[in-house]
Amino acid sequence: MENVFADRISYVPRSFIREILKVTADPSIISFAGGLPNRDLFPLRELKAAANTVLDESGREALQYSSSEGDLELRNWIADRYKKKNKFTIHPKNILITSGSQQGLDLLGKTFLNEGDNVIIEEPGYLGAIQAFSLYKPTFFPISLDADGIKTDKLKQVLLNHDIKLFYCVPNFQNPSGISYSEKKRQEVAELLKEKNTILIEDDPYGELRFLGKDRTSFYNIIPNNTVLLGSFSKIVAPSFRIGWIVAKDEIMDKLIIAKQASDLHTNYFGQKIILQYMKDNDIDEHIDKIKKAYSGQRNAMVAAIQKHFPQGINYTEPEGGMFLWITLTEGLSALKLFEKAIRQKVAFVPGDPFYVDKKDVNTLRLNFSSVDEETIRIGIKKLGEVLKNY
Amino acid sequence: MENVFADRISYVPRSFIREILKVTADPSIISFAGGLPNRDLFPLRELKAAANTVLDESGREALQYSSSEGDLELRNWIADRYKKKNKFTIHPKNILITSGSQQGLDLLGKTFLNEGDNVIIEEPGYLGAIQAFSLYKPTFFPISLDADGIKTDKLKQVLLNHDIKLFYCVPNFQNPSGISYSEKKRQEVAELLKEKNTILIEDDPYGELRFLGKDRTSFYNIIPNNTVLLGSFSKIVAPSFRIGWIVAKDEIMDKLIIAKQASDLHTNYFGQKIILQYMKDNDIDEHIDKIKKAYSGQRNAMVAAIQKHFPQGINYTEPEGGMFLWITLTEGLSALKLFEKAIRQKVAFVPGDPFYVDKKDVNTLRLNFSSVDEETIRIGIKKLGEVLKNY
């Protein structure tokens, strides 16, 4: 019955990571493959209190159908947070609550992409975005990253030669590379985009998790007319609620709400109410500081262990925040083959392949440091160093 | 910037009901326009206990990312329920948890529909399905309903003359009409479909809410190879969690999981765990009986009031379950115009228009009886009867 399916579904890469996570479910394996926040840092007690407050104070409302836009008070909270943190003013009507940032990507694909439309994506790029957009059969233009963000000479050239509808980027502590755009790079990118019709999708799930250096300017600050901004509570509160949001101007928001309603009516409302209550009753900055302190220690442990145990000629990024670090092996080596060897030594990572739209058997790989404790990181990276030396 | 959007988004009808619900938010209006379950029946105390148990017993797991397929124990519960209620055996691997049934419709559109593919839909048909499928730009073939289900002579003719990819139906207490397919009609439909490649989407959010007559055979019982079955906890527990499911055979499920992952990674997991815990700790049948008893009373109050207060020549359905009743005015009358008059008398309903793909200014309308108490139903229907008499 293969022919009964829509063409689009065959364009979506299977989730390689899902397959890998199955292999690494074995608890004897030290896994740097996941992309999970550290569950020990979830504010469990506080969320339990918040859930009880919601059910006591507005239980029947919290259990009923709700609006497609999302809870107004929660959208107000998000607007206030941007005002405080990023110094820009957003009206809550320009915020749409989504079922995680992943749904934000799907809604943007639905709203913007005709078959064959051109989409710039970072190389390596976020796998979830590649999957979400692939369903709408765009033409991808991957542009590689320097240590301070996307290669602007290449970006300029692509923008000059092609009509680009979307430019998707994760400017803070990118998944998978851990790279952040410098202020200079942000200004350059903004300069290239500001006269264009291209929409920049600024996906920022990790922006609050900066543990080194100073916060950078959001593209929404520089070129608000070209920018759609995505945010999420998954990394600063807890992911299981699947609550993220999109910031977009009126005419885009109109379409996004239509797409949202057709996609799932609205995001689970009980979860929205719990997260809001949690933030009303607690100091979110204090909680985020705790996460940043932990991740900073884990990141430092990983960088130190790499310096100590990895052979010469292997490059690694030094992220200033977020959850990931990116390894580039000596040219010609295969991260997939390394994975096979590593798994036999009970250590796992994600080979780079799924983060590329048109490259196979690459020499890059992603390491996650947020979900493994420092001691285990040292043991795991040492093991991986040995596998590398024997490769 | 209109030209920057995808073509598909202009194919989706705006939600008329959203606009109507805004008008009817005025608390002085008696509204039969909503499609809400009765919030007084939500098992608030029990859900609170369940939420606390989940957080106490597996809190960190319940707050973490989870699998795209959905919680295995919940899928087992659903499979067991079908076995008990419908006498068919489903492997939990053939059940996918979705963010409400609405997402099930979107995932099916994503998975099956190329532009221009043919989709049979009931007339009147469920608005949410029209919206979800419209995004994938199919050609709709609306087929009208008799009191015992879809017109099979018309169905036969359409199946003979066209290659139909999907046939979407709500065979139990359809939204909007309240109509159910008779056993005979189900067998006839199954007979027409069984040699075809057409997929029947059996959307069954109300199936458990039968308060008159005997349960009918699911299409999944008769033609499992042609049927994809959708279910939901929204009407039997609470809608705010947005938890539904799709039952499909292996090769379809493979594609649906890819689409699911690209759409939102997974359905909110805390909500899944709460619903499961609630059902483990409570007698769901007892709870459903309570809902059925209440809705039966509300439905009877509405039918009695219609008989008493509506003028001659107005037809109404007599649903055996669910939440809706359907009115057909004398030919030539406009439900939209009636709506304008009714709203001035502080009573509201949904004019039929949004339930048709190719008709405007129809003489039909939907009344909801689940979210209005019996006394208010009597007052509201009496008012509506007066408006009708003056029309």
Side-chain angles (χ1 to χ4, degrees):
Chain A
M1 71 183 283
E2 189 60 30
N3 66 345
V4 85
F5 297 112
D7 300 336
R8 77 176 66 79
I9 203 77
S10 67
Y11 281 72
V12 184
R14 268 180 186 279
S15 177
F16 193 66
I17 289 187
R18 273 168 65 90
E19 304 308 315
I20 283 181
L21 291 181
K22 278 179 199 162
V23 179
T24 61
D26 172 356
S28 74
I29 287 177
I30 295 177
S31 176
F32 304 120
L36 305 182
N38 189 331
R39 58 184 242 158
D40 295 336
L41 301 171
F42 294 153
L44 179 55
R45 195 167 39 93
E46 293 82 358
L47 287 169
K48 186 179 163 191
N52 280 293
T53 303
V54 167
L55 289 170
D56 288 341
E57 291 181 0
S58 57
R60 297 200 181 275
E61 183 211 333
L63 296 174
Q64 187 57 285
Y65 280 112
S66 183
S67 77
S68 299
E69 291 87 344
D71 185 71
L72 182 59
E73 207 182 337
L74 181 61
R75 291 185 289 139
N76 269 315
W77 188 95
I78 294 165
D80 288 348
R81 180 95 187 151
Y82 279 122
K83 184 142 204 169
K84 185 183 155 201
K85 288 274 296 179
N86 304 76
K87 319 288 177 213
F88 50 72
T89 304
I90 295 171
H91 193 284
K93 79 178 189 310
N94 296 105
I95 298 175
L96 170 68
I97 302 293
T98 58
S99 301
S101 272
Q102 184 68 31
Q103 187 186 44
L105 299 172
D106 180 53
L107 297 180
L108 289 165
K110 273 198 175 94
T111 299
F112 284 109
L113 295 179
N114 285 317
E115 183 171 348
D117 276 354
N118 297 328
V119 175
I120 292 176
I121 189 152
E122 297 161 320
E123 180 181 277
Y126 173 52
L127 166 67
I130 296 173
Q131 288 184 309
F133 296 149
S134 291
L135 275 166
Y136 304 100
K137 304 201 276 178
T139 303
F140 284 116
F141 289 80
I143 298 183
S144 53
L145 295 169
D146 284 328
D148 67 342
I150 200 156
K151 284 186 189 295
T152 37
D153 51 346
K154 180 80 190 298
L155 176 64
K156 187 177 178 176
Q157 187 196 329
V158 170
L159 287 169
L160 200 69
N161 294 325
H162 303 275
D163 215 2
I164 301 293
K165 196 168 253 189
L166 301 179
F167 167 22
Y168 172 81
C169 64
V170 185
N172 292 315
F173 331 121
Q174 192 232 23
N175 179 359
S177 72
I179 281 171
S180 297
Y181 287 37
S182 65
E183 283 293 348
K184 181 165 168 285
K185 193 60 68 100
R186 286 166 202 249
Q187 297 297 339
E188 286 171 16
V189 169
E191 196 60 37
L192 290 172
L193 287 179
K194 72 178 183 192
E195 304 297 328
K196 303 270 179 191
N197 259 329
T198 305
I199 304 286
L200 181 140
I201 299 174
E202 180 175 19
D203 191 2
D204 193 28
Y206 314 107
E208 296 259 17
L209 303 182
R210 170 177 287 280
F211 40 73
L212 280 176
K214 270 173 52 182
D215 279 341
R216 305 269 164 81
T217 311
S218 164
F219 281 110
Y220 203 88
N221 256 341
I222 324 174
I223 41 168
N225 283 332
N226 293 64
T227 304
V228 170
L229 180 55
L230 300 184
S232 169
F233 290 109
S234 293
K235 313 304 189 289
I236 58 172
V237 183
S240 92
F241 299 107
R242 313 298 305 117
I243 298 185
W245 63 87
I246 306 180
V247 180
K249 58 184 175 171
D250 290 359
E251 49 190 336
I252 296 174
M253 191 51 75
D254 281 354
K255 309 283 185 190
L256 287 172
I257 290 169
I258 294 172
K260 170 68 179 168
Q261 195 175 33
S263 297
D264 64 358
L265 300 183
H266 65 80
T267 292
N268 88 89
Y269 188 47
F270 184 42
Q272 294 182 54
K273 297 281 276 185
I274 293 174
I275 285 197
L276 175 66
Q277 191 67 45
Y278 162 75
M279 293 184 306
K280 281 160 80 172
D281 295 343
N282 296 275
D283 183 344
I284 185 75
D285 288 302
E286 206 174 274
H287 178 62
I288 291 173
D289 282 345
K290 223 164 80 178
I291 300 175
K292 291 197 287 193
K293 197 168 162 225
Y295 289 6
S296 169
Q298 288 161 279
R299 176 267 190 203
N300 291 342
M302 187 172 273
V303 169
I306 287 172
Q307 289 168 342
K308 189 166 171 191
H309 299 296
F310 276 20
Q312 289 291 316
I314 287 175
N315 280 310
Y316 56 93
T317 58
E318 297 188 61
E320 299 181 330
M323 299 172 20
F324 302 105
L325 186 152
W326 186 247
I327 301 289
T328 305
L329 306 173
T330 321
E331 212 158 312
L333 292 194
S334 156
L336 279 172
K337 290 207 186 81
L338 183 71
F339 178 79
E340 283 168 29
K341 292 175 201 291
I343 213 77
R344 283 197 288 267
Q345 302 306 316
K346 306 276 185 190
V347 56
F349 54 82
V350 180
D353 285 39
F355 304 104
Y356 297 81
V357 294
D358 59 359
K359 291 198 170 121
K360 290 259 169 288
D361 208 13
V362 296
N363 67 332
T364 51
L365 57 99
R366 188 187 80 176
L367 296 176
N368 165 265
F369 53 78
S370 61
S371 61
V372 191
D373 67 73
E374 295 182 28
E375 185 52 27
T376 312
I377 286 175
R378 280 186 278 271
I379 298 167
I381 293 294
K382 188 172 176 219
K383 279 189 182 200
L384 194 54
E386 282 156 15
V387 176
L388 274 164
K389 284 171 191 156
N390 294 326
Y391 183 21
Chain B
M1 70 183 288
E2 189 59 31
N3 65 345
V4 85
F5 297 112
D7 300 336
R8 76 175 70 76
I9 202 77
S10 67
Y11 281 72
V12 184
R14 270 182 185 280
S15 178
F16 192 67
I17 288 187
R18 273 169 63 88
E19 304 309 313
I20 284 180
L21 291 182
K22 278 178 199 162
V23 178
T24 60
D26 172 356
S28 74
I29 287 177
I30 296 177
S31 177
F32 304 120
L36 306 182
N38 189 332
R39 57 183 244 158
D40 295 336
L41 300 171
F42 294 153
L44 180 55
R45 194 166 40 92
E46 294 82 357
L47 286 169
K48 186 179 163 190
N52 281 293
T53 304
V54 167
L55 288 170
D56 288 340
E57 291 182 0
S58 57
R60 297 199 182 278
E61 182 211 335
L63 296 173
Q64 188 57 286
Y65 281 112
S66 184
S67 76
S68 299
E69 290 88 344
D71 185 71
L72 182 59
E73 207 181 337
L74 182 61
R75 291 185 287 139
N76 269 315
W77 187 94
I78 295 165
D80 287 348
R81 181 95 187 151
Y82 279 121
K83 183 142 203 168
K84 184 182 153 199
K85 288 274 295 180
N86 304 76
K87 317 288 177 214
F88 51 71
T89 305
I90 295 171
H91 193 283
K93 79 177 190 310
N94 296 105
I95 298 174
L96 170 67
I97 303 294
T98 58
S99 301
S101 271
Q102 185 68 32
Q103 188 186 44
L105 299 173
D106 181 54
L107 297 180
L108 290 165
K110 274 198 174 94
T111 300
F112 284 110
L113 295 179
N114 286 318
E115 183 171 347
D117 277 353
N118 297 328
V119 175
I120 292 176
I121 188 152
E122 296 160 321
E123 180 181 277
Y126 173 52
L127 166 67
I130 295 172
Q131 288 184 309
F133 296 150
S134 291
L135 276 166
Y136 304 101
K137 303 201 278 179
T139 303
F140 284 114
F141 288 80
I143 298 182
S144 53
L145 295 169
D146 285 327
D148 66 343
I150 200 156
K151 284 186 187 295
T152 37
D153 51 345
K154 180 81 189 295
L155 176 65
K156 186 176 178 177
Q157 184 195 331
V158 169
L159 287 169
L160 199 70
N161 294 324
H162 303 276
D163 216 2
I164 301 293
K165 196 169 254 189
L166 301 179
F167 168 22
Y168 172 80
C169 64
V170 185
N172 294 315
F173 330 122
Q174 194 231 23
N175 180 356
S177 71
I179 280 171
S180 297
Y181 288 36
S182 65
E183 283 293 346
K184 179 163 167 285
K185 194 58 70 99
R186 286 166 201 248
Q187 297 297 337
E188 286 170 16
V189 169
E191 195 61 35
L192 289 172
L193 287 178
K194 72 179 182 192
E195 304 297 328
K196 303 269 179 191
N197 259 329
T198 304
I199 304 284
L200 181 142
I201 299 175
E202 179 175 19
D203 191 1
D204 194 28
Y206 314 106
E208 296 259 18
L209 302 182
R210 172 178 287 278
F211 40 72
L212 280 177
K214 268 173 55 182
D215 279 341
R216 304 269 164 80
T217 311
S218 164
F219 282 110
Y220 203 89
N221 255 342
I222 322 176
I223 42 169
N225 283 332
N226 292 65
T227 304
V228 169
L229 180 55
L230 300 183
S232 168
F233 290 109
S234 293
K235 312 303 188 290
I236 57 171
V237 183
S240 93
F241 299 106
R242 313 300 304 116
I243 298 184
W245 64 88
I246 307 179
V247 179
K249 56 183 176 173
D250 290 359
E251 51 190 336
I252 296 174
M253 191 51 74
D254 281 354
K255 310 283 185 191
L256 287 172
I257 290 170
I258 294 172
K260 170 69 180 169
Q261 196 176 32
S263 299
D264 65 357
L265 300 182
H266 64 81
T267 292
N268 89 90
Y269 188 47
F270 184 42
Q272 294 181 55
K273 297 281 277 184
I274 293 174
I275 285 196
L276 176 65
Q277 190 68 44
Y278 162 75
M279 293 185 305
K280 280 159 81 171
D281 295 344
N282 296 276
D283 183 344
I284 185 74
D285 288 302
E286 207 174 274
H287 177 62
I288 292 172
D289 282 345
K290 221 164 80 180
I291 300 174
K292 291 196 289 192
K293 197 168 161 226
Y295 288 6
S296 168
Q298 289 162 277
R299 176 268 191 204
N300 290 342
M302 187 171 273
V303 169
I306 288 172
Q307 288 168 340
K308 188 165 171 191
H309 299 296
F310 276 20
Q312 288 293 315
I314 287 176
N315 280 310
Y316 55 93
T317 58
E318 297 188 60
E320 299 181 330
M323 298 172 21
F324 303 104
L325 185 151
W326 187 247
I327 301 288
T328 305
L329 305 173
T330 320
E331 213 158 311
L333 293 193
S334 156
L336 279 172
K337 289 207 186 82
L338 183 71
F339 178 79
E340 282 167 32
K341 292 174 201 289
I343 213 77
R344 282 197 288 268
Q345 303 305 316
K346 305 279 186 188
V347 57
F349 54 82
V350 180
D353 285 40
F355 305 104
Y356 296 81
V357 295
D358 59 359
K359 291 196 172 124
K360 291 260 169 288
D361 208 15
V362 296
N363 67 332
T364 51
L365 59 98
R366 188 188 79 178
L367 297 176
N368 166 266
F369 53 77
S370 60
S371 61
V372 190
D373 67 73
E374 294 182 30
E375 185 51 27
T376 312
I377 286 175
R378 280 186 279 269
I379 298 167
I381 293 293
K382 187 171 176 218
K383 279 190 183 201
L384 194 54
E386 283 156 15
V387 176
L388 274 164
K389 284 169 192 160
N390 295 324
Y391 184 20

